[in-house]
Amino acid sequence: MMNTNNYLPKDEFAELIFGRIKAFGLRCMPLCDDLFLKTASAKNIARQLIRSSSSAVANYRAVRRARSKNEFYAKISIVIEELDESIFWLEYSIDAKFYEDIKVRSLINEGYEILKILAKARKTVSVNNK
């Protein structure tokens, strides 16, 4: 797990997380391309995965431009939801036997690590708003 201590300046931390989310989305693309070449069921998973993973990236970009804590909270909640959905589709592709667990496990683990970081950031904003 990456060290995400409080010693990084806020902008550097945001850039680091953006890089990780972007890399996650980019790593999903070849899996989606491969799934699209399979059955109709696999194509559906591919469409859902590419939509949710790219949405997580685009919405995190919007998080970084939030004008208030409330806007930050709302936008980061969307990122968390889309990232969680992406992880679901990756796990579902394993359940459907389109991929072996070993092929996508590191991507799933990275998704969960990013989720933990984002959930903590959202909770911090929520606690500080009270």
Side-chain angles (χ1 to χ4, degrees):
M1 184 170 184
M2 182 175 281
N3 183 8
T4 55
N5 62 38
N6 294 329
Y7 300 109
L8 281 177
K10 200 174 192 178
D11 290 342
E12 281 184 50
F13 180 75
E15 187 64 30
L16 178 74
I17 296 304
F18 180 65
R20 288 180 72 176
I21 293 173
K22 190 175 180 181
F24 177 89
L26 290 169
R27 286 177 62 195
C28 287
M29 286 180 175
L31 294 173
C32 293
D33 291 342
D34 184 50
L35 284 170
F36 204 78
L37 299 174
K38 296 182 180 189
T39 66
S41 301
K43 285 180 186 179
N44 182 57
I45 292 172
R47 286 185 189 102
Q48 297 293 338
L49 177 57
I50 198 66
R51 186 207 50 78
S52 60
S53 62
S54 61
S55 178
V57 177
N59 280 293
Y60 188 76
R61 184 178 165 109
V63 165
R64 296 177 62 198
R65 285 154 182 75
R67 294 165 292 201
S68 68
K69 288 182 180 180
N70 287 339
E71 188 176 357
F72 176 89
Y73 185 89
K75 290 182 183 295
I76 204 164
S77 293
I78 293 168
V79 176
I80 290 168
E81 184 178 324
E82 295 293 340
L83 186 57
D84 185 57
E85 183 178 335
S86 299
I87 295 166
F88 166 78
W89 289 116
L90 290 166
E91 291 172 341
Y92 201 61
S93 71
I94 294 168
D95 294 342
K97 308 228 183 300
F98 294 130
Y99 286 114
E100 292 180 24
D101 184 89
I102 196 158
K103 180 166 176 121
V104 293
R105 180 54 50 196
S106 69
L107 185 56
I108 291 169
N109 290 342
E110 173 66 358
Y112 277 121
E113 284 187 23
I114 297 167
L115 267 180
K116 287 178 192 174
I117 294 165
L118 296 177
K120 186 172 182 176
R122 180 174 65 177
K123 185 176 182 180
T124 300
V125 168
S126 176
V127 168
N128 289 339
N129 272 345
K130 292 182 180 177

